Amino acid sequence: METGIGHRNCQVTSGGRASSAPHSDLVLPYGDELNDGLMQVSFTLPVAAGALAEEAARQAMKLMGLEDPQVAEAAAIGNNATFFIGYGRLTRPVELSKLRVAKPMWQELDQGTINRLLQETLARPLVVVGAATGQDAHTLGLDAILNYKGFAGNRGLEAYSAFKVVNMGSQVPNESLVAKARELTADAILVSQVVTERNVHLANLTNLVELLEAEGLRDKVVLVVGGPRITHALAVELGYDAGFGPGTRPQDVASYLAQEIARRHVELGHLHE
Ligand code: B12
């Protein structure tokens, strides 16, 4: 069910699911039987492995609201910490109709349609500059989206005639990324941010937006961020146009970019009328 609430590139849907299979509005985790509430959790406690650590783990699960907590696996990590896998039963259900989910507004298009749409819109290739920024040394996520080979059998942006792709690799300072975007008159900047320890990604991502604004470039590019802890809602909150999380395929990003560039051209056309 669409609520109609939304803003640029973002719509909020309430309750709906992609599948048309019938479902209850109240759902619980599924272990042995439907709605038995059984769930598995994993965590580390800074307590040496042993009986005390296991009791502390059960107590932690109780505090999470799990009934019948059990320790399934306890592994010592060094002398003073223990890693746990536990099971417990959740008794309070999730109410689907009360949920509000933000997602980018784009439809999946095939490669030919994307190439045609961009050719008709720009009459030249769309210039994309991508980088894993700051301290981030993880390149695989960005490569999965940009490189010809792509990800999970889905070809990367380099395989599309409509994109000119510059992949700057990892540990790229925000200043260098902004300078490259300016040099190439980039249409889109694609940032990968995998390491999120102590929320380092938030400061780094915000810093890029500030640099682009200071250089007068923010409104001239489509700004996208992706990574395992990234959601579209978080990206929009940080000042990005779109965010892509785990399992993203290059075709998702290409579809989004083509439609967003076309939308902006229509809007600009109206402004100049
Ligand atoms: C491989 C790997 C490494 C390799 C990276 C090699 C390389 N060339 O990339 C090396 C060994 C260098 C490494 C180092 C470190 N790593 Co590491 N690494 C991993 C690992 C095992 C796989 C990551 C990966 O490549 N996944 C495959 C890709 C395809 O998936 P993805 O990144 O999620 O990308 C997809 C989406 O997220 C999205 N996406 C990603 N980027 C982008 C960008 C755009 C624009 C878009 C649209 C989409 C998008 O699309 C992709 C395809 O679907 C993960 C654990 C895991 N299983 O995920 C840990 C992991 C990411 N690493 C982690 C850590 C902590 C580190 C280190 C800090 C370890 C250390 N103490 O030294 C260092 C950090 C180094 C640094 N300065 O960045 C943590 C991060 C935890 C956190 N909360 O931040 C993880 C989760 C492991 C863990 N459980 O602790 N790592």
Side-chain angles (χ1 to χ4, degrees), residues 135 137-141 151 191-192 194-197 226-229 245 248:
Q135 301 300 313
H138 297 85
T139 52
L140 273 76
F151 176 69
V191 179
S192 182
V194 174
V195 171
T196 56
E197 278 178 332
R229 303 276 172 91
T248 302

Side-chain angles (χ1 to χ4, degrees), residues 196-254:
T196 56
E197 278 178 332
R198 295 170 198 268
N199 284 339
V200 63
H201 63 309
L202 298 181
N204 194 42
L205 290 172
T206 310
N207 173 254
L208 176 63
V209 173
E210 287 166 0
L211 285 177
L212 287 168
E213 277 168 357
E215 295 261 336
L217 287 177
R218 175 62 193 93
D219 289 338
K220 298 196 170 91
V221 293
V222 181
L223 187 59
V224 175
V225 56
R229 303 276 172 91
I230 303 295
T231 61
H232 182 62
L234 173 70
V236 170
E237 197 183 315
L238 295 176
Y240 286 66
D241 294 308
F244 291 85
T248 302
R249 301 166 320 144
Q251 193 181 347
D252 301 328
V253 185

Side-chain angles (χ1 to χ4, degrees), residues 3-31:
T3 61
I5 307 166
H7 57 93
R8 192 173 169 205
N9 294 329
C10 186
Q11 69 182 10
V12 178
T13 54
S14 161
R17 289 207 314 189
S19 144
S20 59
H23 61 82
S24 158
D25 185 40
L26 303 178
V27 291
L28 279 161
Y30 184 163

